[in-house]
Coordinates of all heavy atoms in Angstrom, one line a residue:
M1402 N 25.6 -50.1 -35.2 CA 27.0 -49.9 -34.7 C 27.1 -48.5 -34.3 O 27.6 -47.7 -35.1 CB 28.0 -50.3 -35.7 CG 29.3 -50.7 -35.0 SD 30.4 -51.8 -36.0 CE 31.1 -50.7 -37.1
P1403 N 26.7 -48.1 -33.1 CA 26.7 -46.7 -32.7 C 28.1 -46.2 -32.3 O 29.0 -47.1 -31.9 CB 25.7 -46.6 -31.6 CG 25.8 -47.9 -31.0 CD 26.0 -48.9 -32.1
V1404 N 28.3 -45.0 -32.2 CA 29.5 -44.4 -31.6 C 29.3 -44.3 -30.1 O 28.2 -43.9 -29.6 CB 29.8 -43.0 -32.2 CG1 30.8 -42.3 -31.4 CG2 30.3 -43.1 -33.7
V1405 N 30.3 -44.6 -29.4 CA 30.3 -44.5 -27.9 C 31.4 -43.6 -27.5 O 32.5 -43.6 -28.0 CB 30.4 -45.9 -27.2 CG1 30.7 -45.7 -25.7 CG2 29.1 -46.7 -27.4
I1406 N 31.0 -42.7 -26.5 CA 32.0 -41.8 -26.0 C 32.4 -42.3 -24.6 O 31.6 -42.6 -23.7 CB 31.3 -40.4 -25.8 CG1 30.9 -39.8 -27.1 CG2 32.3 -39.4 -25.1 CD1 30.1 -38.5 -27.1
D1407 N 33.7 -42.4 -24.4 CA 34.2 -43.0 -23.1 C 34.4 -41.9 -22.1 O 34.3 -40.7 -22.4 CB 35.4 -43.9 -23.3 CG 36.7 -43.1 -23.7 OD1 36.9 -42.0 -23.2 OD2 37.5 -43.7 -24.4
S1408 N 34.7 -42.3 -20.9 CA 34.7 -41.3 -19.8 C 35.9 -40.4 -19.8 O 36.0 -39.5 -18.9 CB 34.7 -42.1 -18.4 OG 35.8 -43.0 -18.4
D1409 N 36.8 -40.5 -20.8 CA 37.9 -39.5 -20.9 C 37.4 -38.2 -21.5 O 38.1 -37.2 -21.5 CB 39.0 -40.1 -21.8 CG 39.7 -41.2 -21.2 OD1 39.7 -41.3 -19.9 OD2 40.4 -42.0 -21.9
C1410 N 36.2 -38.2 -22.0 CA 35.6 -37.0 -22.6 C 35.8 -35.8 -21.8 O 35.5 -35.8 -20.6 CB 34.1 -37.2 -22.9 SG 33.2 -35.8 -23.5
I1411 N 36.3 -34.7 -22.4 CA 36.6 -33.5 -21.7 C 35.5 -32.4 -21.9 O 35.7 -31.2 -21.6 CB 38.0 -32.9 -22.1 CG1 38.1 -32.7 -23.6 CG2 39.1 -33.8 -21.6 CD1 39.3 -32.0 -24.1
N1412 N 34.4 -32.9 -22.5 CA 33.2 -32.0 -22.7 C 33.6 -30.7 -23.5 O 33.1 -29.6 -23.1 CB 32.6 -31.6 -21.3 CG 32.2 -32.8 -20.5 OD1 31.8 -33.8 -21.1 ND2 32.2 -32.7 -19.2
C1413 N 34.4 -30.9 -24.5 CA 34.8 -29.8 -25.3 C 33.8 -29.3 -26.3 O 33.9 -28.2 -26.8 CB 36.1 -30.1 -26.0 SG 35.9 -31.2 -27.4
D1414 N 32.8 -30.1 -26.6 CA 31.7 -29.7 -27.4 C 32.0 -29.7 -28.9 O 31.1 -29.3 -29.7 CB 31.3 -28.2 -27.0 CG 29.8 -28.0 -27.2 OD1 29.0 -28.9 -27.1 OD2 29.4 -26.8 -27.5
M1415 N 33.2 -30.2 -29.3 CA 33.6 -30.2 -30.7 C 32.7 -31.1 -31.5 O 32.4 -30.8 -32.7 CB 35.0 -30.6 -30.8 CG 36.0 -29.6 -30.3 SD 36.2 -28.1 -31.3 CE 37.1 -28.8 -32.7
C1416 N 32.3 -32.2 -31.0 CA 31.6 -33.2 -31.8 C 30.1 -32.9 -32.0 O 29.6 -33.3 -33.0 CB 31.7 -34.6 -31.1 SG 31.1 -34.6 -29.4
V1417 N 29.6 -32.1 -31.1 CA 28.1 -31.9 -31.2 C 27.6 -31.3 -32.5 O 26.7 -31.8 -33.1 CB 27.7 -31.0 -30.0 CG1 26.2 -30.7 -30.0 CG2 28.0 -31.7 -28.7
P1418 N 28.2 -30.2 -33.0 CA 27.7 -29.6 -34.2 C 28.0 -30.5 -35.5 O 27.4 -30.2 -36.5 CB 28.4 -28.3 -34.3 CG 29.6 -28.4 -33.5 CD 29.3 -29.4 -32.4
E1419 N 28.8 -31.5 -35.3 CA 29.1 -32.3 -36.5 C 28.0 -33.4 -36.8 O 27.9 -33.9 -37.8 CB 30.5 -33.1 -36.3 CG 31.7 -32.2 -36.1 CD 31.9 -31.3 -37.3 OE1 31.7 -31.8 -38.4 OE2 32.3 -30.1 -37.1
C1420 N 27.2 -33.6 -35.8 CA 26.3 -34.7 -35.9 C 25.0 -34.3 -36.7 O 24.3 -33.4 -36.2 CB 25.9 -35.3 -34.5 SG 24.8 -36.7 -34.7
P1421 N 24.7 -35.0 -37.8 CA 23.6 -34.6 -38.6 C 22.3 -35.1 -38.0 O 21.2 -34.7 -38.4 CB 23.8 -35.3 -39.9 CG 24.7 -36.5 -39.6 CD 25.5 -36.0 -38.4
N1422 N 22.4 -36.0 -36.9 CA 21.2 -36.5 -36.3 C 20.9 -36.0 -34.9 O 20.0 -36.5 -34.2 CB 21.3 -38.0 -36.3 CG 21.3 -38.7 -37.6 OD1 20.6 -38.3 -38.5 ND2 22.2 -39.6 -37.8
D1423 N 21.7 -35.0 -34.5 CA 21.5 -34.5 -33.1 C 21.6 -35.6 -32.1 O 20.8 -35.6 -31.1 CB 20.2 -33.7 -33.0 CG 20.3 -32.4 -33.7 OD1 21.3 -31.8 -33.9 OD2 19.2 -32.0 -34.3
A1424 N 22.5 -36.5 -32.3 CA 22.6 -37.7 -31.4 C 23.5 -37.5 -30.2 O 23.5 -38.3 -29.3 CB 23.1 -38.9 -32.2
I1425 N 24.2 -36.4 -30.2 CA 25.2 -36.2 -29.1 C 24.7 -35.1 -28.2 O 24.4 -34.0 -28.6 CB 26.6 -35.8 -29.7 CG1 27.0 -36.7 -30.8 CG2 27.6 -35.7 -28.6 CD1 28.2 -36.3 -31.6
A1426 N 24.7 -35.4 -26.9 CA 24.3 -34.4 -25.9 C 25.0 -34.7 -24.6 O 25.5 -35.7 -24.4 CB 22.7 -34.5 -25.7
M1427 N 25.0 -33.7 -23.8 CA 25.6 -33.8 -22.5 C 24.9 -34.8 -21.6 O 23.6 -34.8 -21.5 CB 25.6 -32.4 -21.8 CG 26.4 -32.3 -20.5 SD 28.2 -32.7 -20.7 CE 28.7 -32.9 -19.0
G1428 N 25.6 -35.7 -21.0 CA 25.0 -36.7 -20.1 C 25.3 -36.3 -18.7 O 25.5 -35.1 -18.4
K1429 N 25.3 -37.2 -17.8 CA 25.5 -36.9 -16.4 C 26.9 -36.4 -16.1 O 27.1 -35.4 -15.3 CB 25.2 -38.2 -15.5 CG 23.8 -38.5 -15.4 CD 23.5 -39.5 -14.3 CE 22.0 -39.9 -14.3 NZ 21.8 -41.3 -14.5
Q1430 N 27.9 -37.1 -16.7 CA 29.3 -36.7 -16.4 C 30.0 -36.1 -17.6 O 30.9 -35.3 -17.5 CB 30.1 -37.9 -15.9 CG 29.5 -38.6 -14.8 CD 29.8 -38.0 -13.4 OE1 30.8 -37.3 -13.4 NE2 29.0 -38.2 -12.5
H1431 N 29.6 -36.6 -18.8 CA 30.3 -36.2 -20.0 C 29.3 -36.4 -21.2 O 28.2 -36.9 -21.0 CB 31.5 -37.0 -20.3 CG 31.3 -38.5 -20.3 ND1 30.8 -39.2 -21.4 CD2 31.5 -39.4 -19.3 CE1 30.7 -40.4 -21.1 NE2 31.1 -40.6 -19.8
Y1432 N 29.7 -36.0 -22.4 CA 28.8 -36.1 -23.5 C 28.6 -37.6 -23.8 O 29.5 -38.4 -23.6 CB 29.4 -35.4 -24.7 CG 29.2 -33.9 -24.7 CD1 29.9 -33.1 -23.9 CD2 28.2 -33.3 -25.4 CE1 29.7 -31.7 -23.8 CE2 27.9 -32.0 -25.4 CZ 28.6 -31.2 -24.6 OH 28.4 -29.8 -24.5
V1433 N 27.4 -37.8 -24.3 CA 27.0 -39.2 -24.7 C 26.3 -39.2 -26.0 O 25.7 -38.2 -26.4 CB 26.1 -39.8 -23.6 CG1 26.8 -40.1 -22.3 CG2 24.8 -39.0 -23.4
V1434 N 26.4 -40.4 -26.7 CA 25.7 -40.5 -28.0 C 24.4 -41.3 -27.7 O 24.4 -42.4 -27.0 CB 26.5 -41.3 -29.0 CG1 25.7 -41.6 -30.2 CG2 27.8 -40.5 -29.3
D1435 N 23.3 -40.8 -28.2 CA 22.0 -41.5 -28.2 C 22.0 -42.6 -29.2 O 22.0 -42.3 -30.4 CB 20.9 -40.5 -28.4 CG 19.5 -41.2 -28.3 OD1 19.4 -42.4 -28.5 OD2 18.5 -40.4 -28.1
V1436 N 22.1 -43.9 -28.8 CA 22.3 -45.0 -29.7 C 21.1 -45.1 -30.6 O 21.2 -45.7 -31.7 CB 22.5 -46.3 -29.0 CG1 23.9 -46.3 -28.2 CG2 21.4 -46.7 -28.1
D1437 N 20.0 -44.6 -30.2 CA 18.8 -44.7 -31.1 C 18.8 -43.7 -32.2 O 18.1 -43.8 -33.2 CB 17.5 -44.5 -30.3 CG 17.3 -45.7 -29.3 OD1 17.7 -46.8 -29.7 OD2 16.7 -45.4 -28.2
K1438 N 19.6 -42.7 -32.1 CA 19.7 -41.6 -33.1 C 20.9 -41.8 -34.0 O 21.0 -41.3 -35.1 CB 19.8 -40.2 -32.4 CG 18.4 -39.8 -31.8 CD 18.6 -38.4 -31.3 CE 17.3 -37.9 -30.7 NZ 17.5 -36.5 -30.1
C1439 N 22.0 -42.4 -33.5 CA 23.3 -42.5 -34.2 C 23.1 -43.5 -35.4 O 22.7 -44.7 -35.1 CB 24.4 -42.9 -33.3 SG 25.9 -43.2 -34.2
T1440 N 23.4 -43.1 -36.6 CA 23.3 -43.9 -37.7 C 24.7 -44.1 -38.4 O 24.7 -44.5 -39.5 CB 22.4 -43.3 -38.8 OG1 22.9 -42.0 -39.2 CG2 20.9 -43.1 -38.3
E1441 N 25.7 -43.8 -37.6 CA 27.1 -43.8 -38.2 C 27.2 -42.8 -39.3 O 28.0 -42.9 -40.2 CB 27.4 -45.2 -38.8 CG 27.8 -46.3 -37.8 CD 28.0 -47.6 -38.5 OE1 29.0 -47.6 -39.3 OE2 27.2 -48.5 -38.4
C1442 N 26.3 -41.8 -39.4 CA 26.2 -40.8 -40.4 C 25.8 -41.3 -41.8 O 26.0 -40.7 -42.8 CB 27.6 -40.1 -40.5 SG 27.9 -39.0 -39.1
E1443 N 25.2 -42.5 -41.8 CA 24.8 -43.1 -43.1 C 23.8 -42.1 -43.7 O 22.9 -41.6 -43.1 CB 24.1 -44.4 -42.8 CG 23.9 -45.2 -44.1 CD 23.3 -46.6 -43.8 OE1 23.5 -47.1 -42.7 OE2 22.6 -47.1 -44.7
G1444 N 24.0 -41.9 -45.0 CA 23.1 -41.0 -45.8 C 23.6 -39.6 -45.8 O 23.1 -38.7 -46.5
F1445 N 24.6 -39.3 -44.9 CA 25.1 -37.9 -44.8 C 26.6 -37.9 -45.2 O 27.0 -37.1 -46.0 CB 25.0 -37.4 -43.4 CG 23.6 -37.1 -43.0 CD1 22.9 -38.1 -42.2 CD2 22.9 -35.9 -43.3 CE1 21.6 -37.9 -41.9 CE2 21.6 -35.7 -42.9 CZ 20.9 -36.7 -42.2
Y1446 N 27.4 -38.8 -44.6 CA 28.8 -38.9 -44.8 C 29.2 -40.3 -45.0 O 28.5 -41.2 -44.6 CB 29.6 -38.3 -43.6 CG 29.1 -36.9 -43.3 CD1 28.4 -36.7 -42.0 CD2 29.3 -35.8 -44.1 CE1 28.0 -35.4 -41.7 CE2 28.8 -34.5 -43.7 CZ 28.2 -34.4 -42.5 OH 27.7 -33.1 -42.2
D1447 N 30.4 -40.5 -45.6 CA 31.0 -41.9 -45.8 C 31.4 -42.5 -44.5 O 31.5 -43.7 -44.4 CB 32.1 -41.8 -46.7 CG 31.7 -41.5 -48.2 OD1 30.5 -41.7 -48.4 OD2 32.5 -41.1 -48.9
Q1448 N 31.8 -41.7 -43.5 CA 32.2 -42.2 -42.2 C 31.7 -41.3 -41.1 O 31.3 -40.2 -41.4 CB 33.7 -42.5 -42.2 CG 34.5 -41.4 -42.8 CD 35.9 -41.9 -43.0 OE1 36.4 -42.7 -42.2 NE2 36.6 -41.3 -43.9
P1449 N 31.7 -41.8 -39.9 CA 31.3 -40.9 -38.8 C 31.9 -39.6 -38.8 O 33.2 -39.5 -38.8 CB 31.6 -41.8 -37.5 CG 31.6 -43.2 -38.0 CD 32.1 -43.1 -39.4
A1450 N 31.1 -38.5 -38.7 CA 31.7 -37.2 -38.8 C 32.2 -36.8 -37.4 O 33.1 -35.9 -37.3 CB 30.6 -36.2 -39.2
C1451 N 31.8 -37.4 -36.4 CA 32.2 -36.9 -35.0 C 33.6 -37.4 -34.6 O 34.3 -36.6 -34.0 CB 31.1 -37.4 -34.0 SG 30.8 -39.2 -34.0
I1452 N 33.9 -38.6 -35.0 CA 35.1 -39.2 -34.5 C 36.4 -38.4 -34.8 O 37.2 -38.1 -34.0 CB 35.3 -40.7 -35.0 CG1 34.2 -41.5 -34.3 CG2 36.7 -41.2 -34.7 CD1 34.1 -43.0 -34.8
P1453 N 36.5 -37.9 -36.1 CA 37.8 -37.2 -36.4 C 37.9 -35.9 -35.7 O 39.1 -35.4 -35.6 CB 37.7 -37.0 -37.9 CG 36.6 -37.9 -38.4 CD 35.7 -38.1 -37.3
V1454 N 36.9 -35.3 -35.3 CA 37.0 -33.9 -34.6 C 37.3 -34.0 -33.1 O 37.6 -33.0 -32.5 CB 35.8 -33.0 -34.9 CG1 35.5 -32.9 -36.3 CG2 34.5 -33.6 -34.1
C1455 N 37.2 -35.2 -32.6 CA 37.4 -35.3 -31.1 C 38.9 -35.2 -30.8 O 39.7 -36.0 -31.3 CB 36.9 -36.6 -30.6 SG 37.2 -36.8 -28.8
P1456 N 39.3 -34.2 -30.1 CA 40.8 -33.9 -29.9 C 41.5 -35.0 -29.0 O 42.7 -35.1 -29.0 CB 40.8 -32.5 -29.2 CG 39.5 -32.4 -28.5 CD 38.5 -33.2 -29.4
I1457 N 40.7 -35.7 -28.3 CA 41.4 -36.7 -27.4 C 41.0 -38.2 -27.8 O 41.3 -39.1 -27.1 CB 41.0 -36.5 -25.9 CG1 39.5 -36.6 -25.7 CG2 41.5 -35.1 -25.5 CD1 39.2 -36.8 -24.2
E1458 N 40.4 -38.3 -29.0 CA 40.1 -39.6 -29.5 C 39.3 -40.5 -28.5 O 39.7 -41.7 -28.3 CB 41.4 -40.3 -30.0 CG 42.0 -39.5 -31.1 CD 43.3 -40.1 -31.6 OE1 43.7 -41.2 -31.1 OE2 43.9 -39.5 -32.5
C1459 N 38.3 -40.0 -27.9 CA 37.6 -40.8 -26.9 C 36.3 -41.3 -27.5 O 35.4 -41.9 -26.8 CB 37.3 -40.0 -25.6 SG 36.1 -38.7 -25.8
M1460 N 36.1 -41.2 -28.8 CA 34.9 -41.7 -29.5 C 35.3 -42.9 -30.3 O 36.2 -42.9 -31.1 CB 34.3 -40.7 -30.4 CG 34.1 -39.3 -29.8 SD 33.3 -38.1 -30.9 CE 31.6 -38.4 -30.5
T1461 N 34.5 -44.0 -30.2 CA 34.8 -45.2 -30.9 C 33.5 -45.8 -31.4 O 32.4 -45.7 -30.8 CB 35.5 -46.3 -30.1 OG1 34.9 -46.4 -28.8 CG2 37.0 -45.9 -29.9
L1462 N 33.6 -46.5 -32.6 CA 32.4 -47.3 -33.1 C 32.4 -48.6 -32.4 O 33.4 -49.3 -32.3 CB 32.6 -47.5 -34.6 CG 32.0 -46.5 -35.6 CD1 32.4 -46.9 -37.0 CD2 30.5 -46.5 -35.4
V1463 N 31.3 -49.0 -31.8 CA 31.2 -50.3 -31.2 C 30.1 -51.1 -31.8 O 29.1 -50.6 -32.2 CB 30.9 -50.1 -29.7 CG1 32.1 -49.4 -29.0 CG2 29.6 -49.4 -29.4
P1464 N 30.3 -52.4 -31.8 CA 29.2 -53.3 -32.3 C 27.9 -53.1 -31.4 O 28.0 -52.9 -30.3 CB 29.8 -54.7 -32.2 CG 31.2 -54.5 -32.0 CD 31.4 -53.2 -31.3
D1465 N 26.8 -53.4 -32.0 CA 25.6 -53.4 -31.3 C 25.6 -54.4 -30.2 O 26.1 -55.5 -30.3 CB 24.4 -53.7 -32.2 CG 24.0 -52.5 -33.1 OD1 24.1 -51.4 -32.6 OD2 23.6 -52.8 -34.2
A1466 N 25.2 -54.0 -29.0 CA 25.2 -54.9 -27.8 C 24.1 -55.9 -28.0 O 23.1 -55.6 -28.6 CB 25.1 -54.1 -26.6
Ligands
SF4_2683 S1 28.5 -41.2 -36.1 FE1 27.4 -39.5 -37.1 S2 25.3 -39.9 -36.4 FE2 26.6 -41.1 -35.0 S3 27.0 -39.7 -33.3 FE3 28.7 -39.4 -34.7 S4 28.1 -37.7 -36.0 FE4 26.2 -38.4 -35.0
SF4_2684 S1 34.8 -34.0 -29.1 FE1 35.4 -35.7 -27.8 S2 36.1 -34.7 -25.9 FE2 34.9 -33.2 -27.0 S3 32.8 -33.4 -26.2 FE3 33.0 -34.7 -28.0 S4 33.5 -36.8 -27.2 FE4 34.0 -35.3 -25.6

């Protein structure tokens, strides 16, 4: 169940340093999460570290497709 960043992302960079897996990087238009790297922060934190720091709440946990 990776985190997905929607197109409202303002590229503020706040979430990037929070990720223990280096799963967040700039994409073509906005930041994106590498679904192969995102572990929901399992083993590091009780819940995703990135979601609470996003100022516009454009990050969400989605079920595996
Ligand atoms: S949930 Fe954790 S591992 Fe996944 S992108 Fe966010 S900070 Fe990185
Ligand atoms: S914190 Fe939110 S708005 Fe900022 S880069 Fe990350 S996803 Fe985009």
Side-chain angles (χ1 to χ4, degrees):
M1402 205 157 77
V1404 167
V1405 167
I1406 298 173
D1407 71 34
S1408 59
D1409 291 339
C1410 173
I1411 56 173
N1412 302 331
C1413 72
D1414 213 32
M1415 292 286 289
C1416 55
V1417 176
E1419 300 300 323
C1420 183
N1422 296 317
D1423 291 326
I1425 310 171
M1427 187 62 193
K1429 288 193 182 125
Q1430 305 280 337
H1431 56 79
Y1432 279 78
V1433 292
V1434 173
D1435 183 335
V1436 295
D1437 293 327
K1438 290 185 177 175
C1439 176
T1440 59
E1441 285 176 67
C1442 289
E1443 194 178 329
F1445 293 96
Y1446 309 111
D1447 291 338
Q1448 39 193 334
C1451 54
I1452 292 175
V1454 303
C1455 179
I1457 61 163
E1458 299 180 359
C1459 71
M1460 311 182 91
T1461 45
L1462 268 175
V1463 296
D1465 284 324

